[in-house]
Amino acid sequence: MAAALIVDDDKDWLKLVEIILAAQGLRMEACDSPATALDVAQRLQPNLIVLDVMMERMDGFQLLWHLTNDNITAGIPIVLLSSRDRPADIDWGRRLGAADYISKHMAVRELTETLARKAHSLMQASLAGTRGLVPGRV
């Protein structure tokens, strides 16, 4: 069964994303601390990571950089899900290697549909052996 890792220090967002992705048939692992998320990602090697940006101690951009520059996790598609949704934030996330950037400011229904659609698409590509959908990545 395909797996997803959710990283967010807000328990309500963790639960919401878990519900959305579980409906896609994914096995879940949730992490509320970016400090442990890299270790969990290396151990689990999920097919998808959904990552918040605004977290304490280490923000999502820093964790994204570590994940995309680690030999074990470099090819895992990562979706940033954040309330920081200025164009500069979105551009920076994509430059760091995020497969997509979704705003938490969407209406719940739109957020659910967008995340489910993106997760399904990335999971299909991952299971087909084309992990690492970021342009320029091998």
Side-chain angles (χ1 to χ4, degrees):
M1 174 184 273
L5 172 62
I6 307 162
V7 185
D8 197 319
D9 59 355
D10 183 317
K11 303 259 191 245
D12 293 333
W13 276 103
L14 274 178
K15 189 63 178 168
L16 176 62
V17 174
E18 188 174 0
I19 290 167
I20 293 169
L21 296 181
Q24 298 300 308
L26 301 172
R27 183 172 45 94
M28 292 300 137
E29 184 82 27
C31 222
D32 63 0
S33 164
T36 59
L38 181 59
D39 292 331
V40 172
Q42 289 171 332
R43 177 182 46 81
L44 183 63
Q45 295 183 32
N47 303 91
L48 175 67
I49 297 173
V50 177
L51 175 60
D52 184 26
V53 171
M54 294 180 10
M55 296 182 285
E56 293 185 25
R57 295 196 181 122
M58 178 190 305
D59 72 24
F61 291 134
Q62 293 168 312
L63 180 55
L64 174 62
W65 184 88
H66 286 287
L67 289 165
T68 58
N69 286 284
D70 180 85
N71 289 335
I72 297 171
T73 59
I76 300 171
I78 300 171
V79 173
L80 293 174
L81 177 64
S82 181
S83 57
R84 275 183 69 173
D85 59 0
R86 296 177 316 197
D89 295 321
I90 295 167
D91 182 58
W92 185 240
R94 289 191 172 137
R95 285 176 182 231
L96 288 172
D100 207 346
Y101 199 114
I102 299 173
S103 172
K104 285 183 175 179
H105 292 131
M106 291 182 187
V108 173
R109 182 181 184 127
E110 182 183 3
L111 173 70
T112 300
E113 291 170 356
T114 300
L115 184 54
R117 186 174 53 253
K118 179 52 68 173
H120 178 75
S121 171
L122 290 171
M123 291 303 303
Q124 293 301 315
S126 177
L127 292 173
T130 57
R131 286 172 69 162
L133 301 173
V134 179
R137 285 238 175 237
V138 179

PDB file of all heavy atoms in Angstrom, residues 61-96:
ATOM      1  N   PHE A  61      10.431  25.243   4.661  1.00  0.00           N
ATOM      2  CA  PHE A  61      11.399  25.458   3.589  1.00  0.00           C
ATOM      3  C   PHE A  61      12.729  24.794   3.941  1.00  0.00           C
ATOM      4  O   PHE A  61      13.366  24.169   3.094  1.00  0.00           O
ATOM      5  CB  PHE A  61      11.620  26.948   3.330  1.00  0.00           C
ATOM      6  CG  PHE A  61      10.443  27.661   2.728  1.00  0.00           C
ATOM      7  CD1 PHE A  61      10.029  28.881   3.239  1.00  0.00           C
ATOM      8  CD2 PHE A  61       9.756  27.140   1.641  1.00  0.00           C
ATOM      9  CE1 PHE A  61       8.959  29.561   2.679  1.00  0.00           C
ATOM     10  CE2 PHE A  61       8.684  27.806   1.079  1.00  0.00           C
ATOM     11  CZ  PHE A  61       8.285  29.014   1.604  1.00  0.00           C
ATOM     12  N   GLN A  62      13.146  24.921   5.201  1.00  0.00           N
ATOM     13  CA  GLN A  62      14.393  24.274   5.633  1.00  0.00           C
ATOM     14  C   GLN A  62      14.269  22.757   5.541  1.00  0.00           C
ATOM     15  O   GLN A  62      15.181  22.074   5.047  1.00  0.00           O
ATOM     16  CB  GLN A  62      14.741  24.685   7.069  1.00  0.00           C
ATOM     17  CG  GLN A  62      15.103  26.143   7.206  1.00  0.00           C
ATOM     18  CD  GLN A  62      15.143  26.581   8.650  1.00  0.00           C
ATOM     19  OE1 GLN A  62      14.235  26.318   9.429  1.00  0.00           O
ATOM     20  NE2 GLN A  62      16.220  27.261   9.019  1.00  0.00           N
ATOM     21  N   LEU A  63      13.144  22.227   6.011  1.00  0.00           N
ATOM     22  CA  LEU A  63      12.934  20.780   5.939  1.00  0.00           C
ATOM     23  C   LEU A  63      12.871  20.323   4.482  1.00  0.00           C
ATOM     24  O   LEU A  63      13.454  19.289   4.135  1.00  0.00           O
ATOM     25  CB  LEU A  63      11.664  20.391   6.686  1.00  0.00           C
ATOM     26  CG  LEU A  63      11.333  18.900   6.695  1.00  0.00           C
ATOM     27  CD1 LEU A  63      12.492  18.058   7.235  1.00  0.00           C
ATOM     28  CD2 LEU A  63      10.054  18.657   7.497  1.00  0.00           C
ATOM     29  N   LEU A  64      12.203  21.080   3.633  1.00  0.00           N
ATOM     30  CA  LEU A  64      12.133  20.759   2.210  1.00  0.00           C
ATOM     31  C   LEU A  64      13.535  20.670   1.618  1.00  0.00           C
ATOM     32  O   LEU A  64      13.856  19.739   0.880  1.00  0.00           O
ATOM     33  CB  LEU A  64      11.296  21.814   1.473  1.00  0.00           C
ATOM     34  CG  LEU A  64      11.235  21.715  -0.050  1.00  0.00           C
ATOM     35  CD1 LEU A  64      10.607  20.406  -0.507  1.00  0.00           C
ATOM     36  CD2 LEU A  64      10.463  22.910  -0.606  1.00  0.00           C
ATOM     37  N   TRP A  65      14.385  21.633   1.948  1.00  0.00           N
ATOM     38  CA  TRP A  65      15.763  21.612   1.454  1.00  0.00           C
ATOM     39  C   TRP A  65      16.473  20.335   1.897  1.00  0.00           C
ATOM     40  O   TRP A  65      17.133  19.679   1.087  1.00  0.00           O
ATOM     41  CB  TRP A  65      16.527  22.846   1.942  1.00  0.00           C
ATOM     42  CG  TRP A  65      17.912  22.904   1.379  1.00  0.00           C
ATOM     43  CD1 TRP A  65      18.283  23.472   0.198  1.00  0.00           C
ATOM     44  CD2 TRP A  65      19.097  22.332   1.934  1.00  0.00           C
ATOM     45  NE1 TRP A  65      19.637  23.296  -0.010  1.00  0.00           N
ATOM     46  CE2 TRP A  65      20.164  22.597   1.049  1.00  0.00           C
ATOM     47  CE3 TRP A  65      19.359  21.621   3.100  1.00  0.00           C
ATOM     48  CZ2 TRP A  65      21.462  22.181   1.289  1.00  0.00           C
ATOM     49  CZ3 TRP A  65      20.660  21.198   3.345  1.00  0.00           C
ATOM     50  CH2 TRP A  65      21.690  21.483   2.447  1.00  0.00           C
ATOM     51  N   HIS A  66      16.326  19.978   3.166  1.00  0.00           N
ATOM     52  CA  HIS A  66      16.967  18.758   3.670  1.00  0.00           C
ATOM     53  C   HIS A  66      16.430  17.517   2.957  1.00  0.00           C
ATOM     54  O   HIS A  66      17.201  16.630   2.576  1.00  0.00           O
ATOM     55  CB  HIS A  66      16.779  18.613   5.180  1.00  0.00           C
ATOM     56  CG  HIS A  66      17.616  19.553   5.981  1.00  0.00           C
ATOM     57  ND1 HIS A  66      18.979  19.412   6.122  1.00  0.00           N
ATOM     58  CD2 HIS A  66      17.280  20.666   6.685  1.00  0.00           C
ATOM     59  CE1 HIS A  66      19.448  20.385   6.878  1.00  0.00           C
ATOM     60  NE2 HIS A  66      18.438  21.168   7.222  1.00  0.00           N
ATOM     61  N   LEU A  67      15.120  17.450   2.769  1.00  0.00           N
ATOM     62  CA  LEU A  67      14.509  16.286   2.123  1.00  0.00           C
ATOM     63  C   LEU A  67      14.944  16.153   0.666  1.00  0.00           C
ATOM     64  O   LEU A  67      15.207  15.045   0.194  1.00  0.00           O
ATOM     65  CB  LEU A  67      12.980  16.383   2.203  1.00  0.00           C
ATOM     66  CG  LEU A  67      12.369  16.184   3.584  1.00  0.00           C
ATOM     67  CD1 LEU A  67      10.927  16.668   3.609  1.00  0.00           C
ATOM     68  CD2 LEU A  67      12.453  14.719   4.004  1.00  0.00           C
ATOM     69  N   THR A  68      15.005  17.263  -0.059  1.00  0.00           N
ATOM     70  CA  THR A  68      15.360  17.186  -1.474  1.00  0.00           C
ATOM     71  C   THR A  68      16.860  17.023  -1.695  1.00  0.00           C
ATOM     72  O   THR A  68      17.280  16.695  -2.804  1.00  0.00           O
ATOM     73  CB  THR A  68      14.865  18.431  -2.250  1.00  0.00           C
ATOM     74  OG1 THR A  68      15.414  19.606  -1.670  1.00  0.00           O
ATOM     75  CG2 THR A  68      13.348  18.492  -2.262  1.00  0.00           C
ATOM     76  N   ASN A  69      17.656  17.217  -0.663  1.00  0.00           N
ATOM     77  CA  ASN A  69      19.104  17.051  -0.780  1.00  0.00           C
ATOM     78  C   ASN A  69      19.630  15.821  -0.059  1.00  0.00           C
ATOM     79  O   ASN A  69      20.839  15.645   0.049  1.00  0.00           O
ATOM     80  CB  ASN A  69      19.820  18.315  -0.270  1.00  0.00           C
ATOM     81  CG  ASN A  69      19.676  19.444  -1.259  1.00  0.00           C
ATOM     82  OD1 ASN A  69      20.331  19.465  -2.292  1.00  0.00           O
ATOM     83  ND2 ASN A  69      18.773  20.366  -0.975  1.00  0.00           N
ATOM     84  N   ASP A  70      18.741  14.989   0.401  1.00  0.00           N
ATOM     85  CA  ASP A  70      19.107  13.741   1.055  1.00  0.00           C
ATOM     86  C   ASP A  70      18.977  12.604   0.034  1.00  0.00           C
ATOM     87  O   ASP A  70      17.973  12.516  -0.670  1.00  0.00           O
ATOM     88  CB  ASP A  70      18.174  13.488   2.249  1.00  0.00           C
ATOM     89  CG  ASP A  70      18.509  12.202   2.973  1.00  0.00           C
ATOM     90  OD1 ASP A  70      19.394  12.234   3.846  1.00  0.00           O
ATOM     91  OD2 ASP A  70      17.896  11.166   2.643  1.00  0.00           O
ATOM     92  N   ASN A  71      19.988  11.750  -0.062  1.00  0.00           N
ATOM     93  CA  ASN A  71      19.970  10.671  -1.060  1.00  0.00           C
ATOM     94  C   ASN A  71      18.760   9.753  -0.917  1.00  0.00           C
ATOM     95  O   ASN A  71      18.256   9.240  -1.914  1.00  0.00           O
ATOM     96  CB  ASN A  71      21.254   9.840  -0.970  1.00  0.00           C
ATOM     97  CG  ASN A  71      22.452  10.603  -1.469  1.00  0.00           C
ATOM     98  OD1 ASN A  71      22.337  11.519  -2.276  1.00  0.00           O
ATOM     99  ND2 ASN A  71      23.628  10.233  -0.971  1.00  0.00           N
ATOM    100  N   ILE A  72      18.286   9.535   0.283  1.00  0.00           N
ATOM    101  CA  ILE A  72      17.175   8.610   0.511  1.00  0.00           C
ATOM    102  C   ILE A  72      15.831   9.236   0.146  1.00  0.00           C
ATOM    103  O   ILE A  72      14.956   8.577  -0.397  1.00  0.00           O
ATOM    104  CB  ILE A  72      17.167   8.134   1.982  1.00  0.00           C
ATOM    105  CG1 ILE A  72      18.448   7.353   2.277  1.00  0.00           C
ATOM    106  CG2 ILE A  72      15.933   7.279   2.286  1.00  0.00           C
ATOM    107  CD1 ILE A  72      18.657   7.020   3.736  1.00  0.00           C
ATOM    108  N   THR A  73      15.661  10.518   0.412  1.00  0.00           N
ATOM    109  CA  THR A  73      14.353  11.160   0.237  1.00  0.00           C
ATOM    110  C   THR A  73      14.261  12.098  -0.966  1.00  0.00           C
ATOM    111  O   THR A  73      13.200  12.649  -1.235  1.00  0.00           O
ATOM    112  CB  THR A  73      13.990  11.952   1.518  1.00  0.00           C
ATOM    113  OG1 THR A  73      15.001  12.933   1.768  1.00  0.00           O
ATOM    114  CG2 THR A  73      13.856  11.024   2.719  1.00  0.00           C
ATOM    115  N   ALA A  74      15.335  12.260  -1.700  1.00  0.00           N
ATOM    116  CA  ALA A  74      15.386  13.255  -2.778  1.00  0.00           C
ATOM    117  C   ALA A  74      14.312  13.067  -3.855  1.00  0.00           C
ATOM    118  O   ALA A  74      13.845  14.043  -4.424  1.00  0.00           O
ATOM    119  CB  ALA A  74      16.768  13.262  -3.426  1.00  0.00           C
ATOM    120  N   GLY A  75      13.891  11.872  -4.128  1.00  0.00           N
ATOM    121  CA  GLY A  75      12.934  11.655  -5.209  1.00  0.00           C
ATOM    122  C   GLY A  75      11.487  11.629  -4.788  1.00  0.00           C
ATOM    123  O   GLY A  75      10.602  11.400  -5.616  1.00  0.00           O
ATOM    124  N   ILE A  76      11.209  11.872  -3.522  1.00  0.00           N
ATOM    125  CA  ILE A  76       9.832  11.807  -3.037  1.00  0.00           C
ATOM    126  C   ILE A  76       9.111  13.112  -3.378  1.00  0.00           C
ATOM    127  O   ILE A  76       9.591  14.195  -3.044  1.00  0.00           O
ATOM    128  CB  ILE A  76       9.800  11.583  -1.507  1.00  0.00           C
ATOM    129  CG1 ILE A  76      10.490  10.274  -1.140  1.00  0.00           C
ATOM    130  CG2 ILE A  76       8.354  11.598  -0.998  1.00  0.00           C
ATOM    131  CD1 ILE A  76      10.707  10.074   0.352  1.00  0.00           C
ATOM    132  N   PRO A  77       7.951  13.041  -4.037  1.00  0.00           N
ATOM    133  CA  PRO A  77       7.192  14.263  -4.328  1.00  0.00           C
ATOM    134  C   PRO A  77       6.722  14.919  -3.027  1.00  0.00           C
ATOM    135  O   PRO A  77       6.207  14.241  -2.134  1.00  0.00           O
ATOM    136  CB  PRO A  77       6.000  13.781  -5.146  1.00  0.00           C
ATOM    137  CG  PRO A  77       6.277  12.380  -5.513  1.00  0.00           C
ATOM    138  CD  PRO A  77       7.311  11.851  -4.595  1.00  0.00           C
ATOM    139  N   ILE A  78       6.922  16.224  -2.934  1.00  0.00           N
ATOM    140  CA  ILE A  78       6.552  16.966  -1.731  1.00  0.00           C
ATOM    141  C   ILE A  78       5.591  18.089  -2.118  1.00  0.00           C
ATOM    142  O   ILE A  78       5.884  18.872  -3.023  1.00  0.00           O
ATOM    143  CB  ILE A  78       7.793  17.551  -1.036  1.00  0.00           C
ATOM    144  CG1 ILE A  78       8.750  16.423  -0.624  1.00  0.00           C
ATOM    145  CG2 ILE A  78       7.392  18.403   0.168  1.00  0.00           C
ATOM    146  CD1 ILE A  78      10.095  16.898  -0.133  1.00  0.00           C
ATOM    147  N   VAL A  79       4.466  18.133  -1.430  1.00  0.00           N
ATOM    148  CA  VAL A  79       3.485  19.195  -1.609  1.00  0.00           C
ATOM    149  C   VAL A  79       3.545  20.081  -0.380  1.00  0.00           C
ATOM    150  O   VAL A  79       3.394  19.608   0.744  1.00  0.00           O
ATOM    151  CB  VAL A  79       2.058  18.627  -1.781  1.00  0.00           C
ATOM    152  CG1 VAL A  79       1.033  19.749  -1.798  1.00  0.00           C
ATOM    153  CG2 VAL A  79       1.960  17.779  -3.033  1.00  0.00           C
ATOM    154  N   LEU A  80       3.804  21.356  -0.583  1.00  0.00           N
ATOM    155  CA  LEU A  80       3.751  22.319   0.514  1.00  0.00           C
ATOM    156  C   LEU A  80       2.307  22.762   0.677  1.00  0.00           C
ATOM    157  O   LEU A  80       1.637  23.086  -0.302  1.00  0.00           O
ATOM    158  CB  LEU A  80       4.645  23.521   0.232  1.00  0.00           C
ATOM    159  CG  LEU A  80       6.141  23.235   0.215  1.00  0.00           C
ATOM    160  CD1 LEU A  80       6.923  24.467  -0.227  1.00  0.00           C
ATOM    161  CD2 LEU A  80       6.630  22.767   1.576  1.00  0.00           C
ATOM    162  N   LEU A  81       1.825  22.746   1.906  1.00  0.00           N
ATOM    163  CA  LEU A  81       0.467  23.160   2.233  1.00  0.00           C
ATOM    164  C   LEU A  81       0.602  24.204   3.327  1.00  0.00           C
ATOM    165  O   LEU A  81       0.981  23.878   4.453  1.00  0.00           O
ATOM    166  CB  LEU A  81      -0.343  21.958   2.722  1.00  0.00           C
ATOM    167  CG  LEU A  81      -1.769  22.225   3.175  1.00  0.00           C
ATOM    168  CD1 LEU A  81      -2.620  22.721   2.009  1.00  0.00           C
ATOM    169  CD2 LEU A  81      -2.368  20.963   3.770  1.00  0.00           C
ATOM    170  N   SER A  82       0.349  25.469   2.991  1.00  0.00           N
ATOM    171  CA  SER A  82       0.677  26.525   3.936  1.00  0.00           C
ATOM    172  C   SER A  82      -0.243  27.723   3.837  1.00  0.00           C
ATOM    173  O   SER A  82      -0.815  27.992   2.783  1.00  0.00           O
ATOM    174  CB  SER A  82       2.115  26.999   3.690  1.00  0.00           C
ATOM    175  OG  SER A  82       2.475  28.007   4.606  1.00  0.00           O
ATOM    176  N   SER A  83      -0.330  28.452   4.948  1.00  0.00           N
ATOM    177  CA  SER A  83      -1.045  29.727   4.925  1.00  0.00           C
ATOM    178  C   SER A  83      -0.146  30.845   4.401  1.00  0.00           C
ATOM    179  O   SER A  83      -0.611  31.924   4.084  1.00  0.00           O
ATOM    180  CB  SER A  83      -1.566  30.071   6.323  1.00  0.00           C
ATOM    181  OG  SER A  83      -0.506  30.113   7.240  1.00  0.00           O
ATOM    182  N   ARG A  84       1.151  30.572   4.292  1.00  0.00           N
ATOM    183  CA  ARG A  84       2.069  31.525   3.647  1.00  0.00           C
ATOM    184  C   ARG A  84       1.957  31.295   2.150  1.00  0.00           C
ATOM    185  O   ARG A  84       2.575  30.376   1.606  1.00  0.00           O
ATOM    186  CB  ARG A  84       3.514  31.269   4.088  1.00  0.00           C
ATOM    187  CG  ARG A  84       3.872  31.940   5.360  1.00  0.00           C
ATOM    188  CD  ARG A  84       5.311  31.737   5.723  1.00  0.00           C
ATOM    189  NE  ARG A  84       6.218  32.439   4.823  1.00  0.00           N
ATOM    190  CZ  ARG A  84       7.525  32.508   5.035  1.00  0.00           C
ATOM    191  NH1 ARG A  84       8.071  31.920   6.067  1.00  0.00           N
ATOM    192  NH2 ARG A  84       8.286  33.163   4.195  1.00  0.00           N
ATOM    193  N   ASP A  85       1.176  32.110   1.504  1.00  0.00           N
ATOM    194  CA  ASP A  85       0.912  31.857   0.087  1.00  0.00           C
ATOM    195  C   ASP A  85       1.167  33.064  -0.799  1.00  0.00           C
ATOM    196  O   ASP A  85       0.549  33.233  -1.848  1.00  0.00           O
ATOM    197  CB  ASP A  85      -0.505  31.327  -0.106  1.00  0.00           C
ATOM    198  CG  ASP A  85      -1.565  32.278   0.411  1.00  0.00           C
ATOM    199  OD1 ASP A  85      -1.217  33.368   0.924  1.00  0.00           O
ATOM    200  OD2 ASP A  85      -2.756  31.928   0.318  1.00  0.00           O
ATOM    201  N   ARG A  86       2.101  33.909  -0.389  1.00  0.00           N
ATOM    202  CA  ARG A  86       2.508  35.004  -1.269  1.00  0.00           C
ATOM    203  C   ARG A  86       3.245  34.411  -2.475  1.00  0.00           C
ATOM    204  O   ARG A  86       3.865  33.344  -2.370  1.00  0.00           O
ATOM    205  CB  ARG A  86       3.428  35.967  -0.531  1.00  0.00           C
ATOM    206  CG  ARG A  86       2.771  36.672   0.645  1.00  0.00           C
ATOM    207  CD  ARG A  86       3.767  37.527   1.348  1.00  0.00           C
ATOM    208  NE  ARG A  86       5.018  36.749   1.479  1.00  0.00           N
ATOM    209  CZ  ARG A  86       6.012  37.022   2.303  1.00  0.00           C
ATOM    210  NH1 ARG A  86       5.938  38.054   3.074  1.00  0.00           N
ATOM    211  NH2 ARG A  86       7.084  36.282   2.364  1.00  0.00           N
ATOM    212  N   PRO A  87       3.217  35.072  -3.618  1.00  0.00           N
ATOM    213  CA  PRO A  87       3.925  34.563  -4.794  1.00  0.00           C
ATOM    214  C   PRO A  87       5.402  34.252  -4.525  1.00  0.00           C
ATOM    215  O   PRO A  87       5.927  33.258  -5.022  1.00  0.00           O
ATOM    216  CB  PRO A  87       3.764  35.680  -5.824  1.00  0.00           C
ATOM    217  CG  PRO A  87       2.462  36.322  -5.463  1.00  0.00           C
ATOM    218  CD  PRO A  87       2.426  36.285  -3.952  1.00  0.00           C
ATOM    219  N   ALA A  88       6.064  35.068  -3.707  1.00  0.00           N
ATOM    220  CA  ALA A  88       7.480  34.819  -3.398  1.00  0.00           C
ATOM    221  C   ALA A  88       7.655  33.515  -2.618  1.00  0.00           C
ATOM    222  O   ALA A  88       8.622  32.781  -2.837  1.00  0.00           O
ATOM    223  CB  ALA A  88       8.064  35.980  -2.608  1.00  0.00           C
ATOM    224  N   ASP A  89       6.710  33.208  -1.708  1.00  0.00           N
ATOM    225  CA  ASP A  89       6.774  31.954  -0.946  1.00  0.00           C
ATOM    226  C   ASP A  89       6.578  30.754  -1.869  1.00  0.00           C
ATOM    227  O   ASP A  89       7.295  29.757  -1.783  1.00  0.00           O
ATOM    228  CB  ASP A  89       5.704  31.925   0.143  1.00  0.00           C
ATOM    229  CG  ASP A  89       5.923  32.987   1.206  1.00  0.00           C
ATOM    230  OD1 ASP A  89       7.089  33.224   1.581  1.00  0.00           O
ATOM    231  OD2 ASP A  89       4.922  33.576   1.653  1.00  0.00           O
ATOM    232  N   ILE A  90       5.604  30.866  -2.750  1.00  0.00           N
ATOM    233  CA  ILE A  90       5.309  29.776  -3.685  1.00  0.00           C
ATOM    234  C   ILE A  90       6.509  29.550  -4.605  1.00  0.00           C
ATOM    235  O   ILE A  90       6.936  28.414  -4.815  1.00  0.00           O
ATOM    236  CB  ILE A  90       4.028  30.084  -4.488  1.00  0.00           C
ATOM    237  CG1 ILE A  90       2.828  30.123  -3.525  1.00  0.00           C
ATOM    238  CG2 ILE A  90       3.822  29.076  -5.611  1.00  0.00           C
ATOM    239  CD1 ILE A  90       1.566  30.706  -4.123  1.00  0.00           C
ATOM    240  N   ASP A  91       7.070  30.633  -5.119  1.00  0.00           N
ATOM    241  CA  ASP A  91       8.251  30.520  -5.986  1.00  0.00           C
ATOM    242  C   ASP A  91       9.422  29.885  -5.241  1.00  0.00           C
ATOM    243  O   ASP A  91      10.097  29.014  -5.775  1.00  0.00           O
ATOM    244  CB  ASP A  91       8.635  31.907  -6.510  1.00  0.00           C
ATOM    245  CG  ASP A  91       9.818  31.838  -7.453  1.00  0.00           C
ATOM    246  OD1 ASP A  91       9.728  31.112  -8.474  1.00  0.00           O
ATOM    247  OD2 ASP A  91      10.845  32.500  -7.168  1.00  0.00           O
ATOM    248  N   TRP A  92       9.645  30.307  -4.015  1.00  0.00           N
ATOM    249  CA  TRP A  92      10.752  29.760  -3.234  1.00  0.00           C
ATOM    250  C   TRP A  92      10.549  28.265  -2.974  1.00  0.00           C
ATOM    251  O   TRP A  92      11.476  27.472  -3.094  1.00  0.00           O
ATOM    252  CB  TRP A  92      10.903  30.534  -1.923  1.00  0.00           C
ATOM    253  CG  TRP A  92      12.087  30.111  -1.113  1.00  0.00           C
ATOM    254  CD1 TRP A  92      12.063  29.614   0.153  1.00  0.00           C
ATOM    255  CD2 TRP A  92      13.465  30.123  -1.501  1.00  0.00           C
ATOM    256  NE1 TRP A  92      13.336  29.324   0.577  1.00  0.00           N
ATOM    257  CE2 TRP A  92      14.217  29.632  -0.420  1.00  0.00           C
ATOM    258  CE3 TRP A  92      14.129  30.511  -2.667  1.00  0.00           C
ATOM    259  CZ2 TRP A  92      15.604  29.514  -0.461  1.00  0.00           C
ATOM    260  CZ3 TRP A  92      15.515  30.394  -2.711  1.00  0.00           C
ATOM    261  CH2 TRP A  92      16.235  29.902  -1.619  1.00  0.00           C
ATOM    262  N   GLY A  93       9.337  27.876  -2.648  1.00  0.00           N
ATOM    263  CA  GLY A  93       9.047  26.453  -2.428  1.00  0.00           C
ATOM    264  C   GLY A  93       9.320  25.623  -3.666  1.00  0.00           C
ATOM    265  O   GLY A  93       9.921  24.540  -3.594  1.00  0.00           O
ATOM    266  N   ARG A  94       8.927  26.120  -4.802  1.00  0.00           N
ATOM    267  CA  ARG A  94       9.157  25.386  -6.057  1.00  0.00           C
ATOM    268  C   ARG A  94      10.649  25.339  -6.399  1.00  0.00           C
ATOM    269  O   ARG A  94      11.147  24.339  -6.885  1.00  0.00           O
ATOM    270  CB  ARG A  94       8.337  25.989  -7.181  1.00  0.00           C
ATOM    271  CG  ARG A  94       6.861  25.684  -6.967  1.00  0.00           C
ATOM    272  CD  ARG A  94       6.027  26.024  -8.161  1.00  0.00           C
ATOM    273  NE  ARG A  94       4.672  25.526  -7.944  1.00  0.00           N
ATOM    274  CZ  ARG A  94       3.589  26.212  -8.239  1.00  0.00           C
ATOM    275  NH1 ARG A  94       3.689  27.408  -8.779  1.00  0.00           N
ATOM    276  NH2 ARG A  94       2.399  25.705  -8.014  1.00  0.00           N
ATOM    277  N   ARG A  95      11.356  26.447  -6.130  1.00  0.00           N
ATOM    278  CA  ARG A  95      12.804  26.462  -6.382  1.00  0.00           C
ATOM    279  C   ARG A  95      13.533  25.459  -5.498  1.00  0.00           C
ATOM    280  O   ARG A  95      14.559  24.902  -5.901  1.00  0.00           O
ATOM    281  CB  ARG A  95      13.381  27.848  -6.149  1.00  0.00           C
ATOM    282  CG  ARG A  95      13.059  28.825  -7.233  1.00  0.00           C
ATOM    283  CD  ARG A  95      13.582  30.200  -6.873  1.00  0.00           C
ATOM    284  NE  ARG A  95      13.253  31.159  -7.873  1.00  0.00           N
ATOM    285  CZ  ARG A  95      14.138  31.965  -8.425  1.00  0.00           C
ATOM    286  NH1 ARG A  95      15.387  31.933  -8.056  1.00  0.00           N
ATOM    287  NH2 ARG A  95      13.757  32.819  -9.339  1.00  0.00           N
ATOM    288  N   LEU A  96      13.016  25.256  -4.293  1.00  0.00           N
ATOM    289  CA  LEU A  96      13.631  24.290  -3.380  1.00  0.00           C
ATOM    290  C   LEU A  96      13.282  22.850  -3.730  1.00  0.00           C
ATOM    291  O   LEU A  96      13.864  21.930  -3.176  1.00  0.00           O
ATOM    292  CB  LEU A  96      13.209  24.592  -1.933  1.00  0.00           C
ATOM    293  CG  LEU A  96      13.828  25.835  -1.316  1.00  0.00           C
ATOM    294  CD1 LEU A  96      13.183  26.126   0.041  1.00  0.00           C
ATOM    295  CD2 LEU A  96      15.335  25.693  -1.177  1.00  0.00           C
TER     296      LEU A  96
END
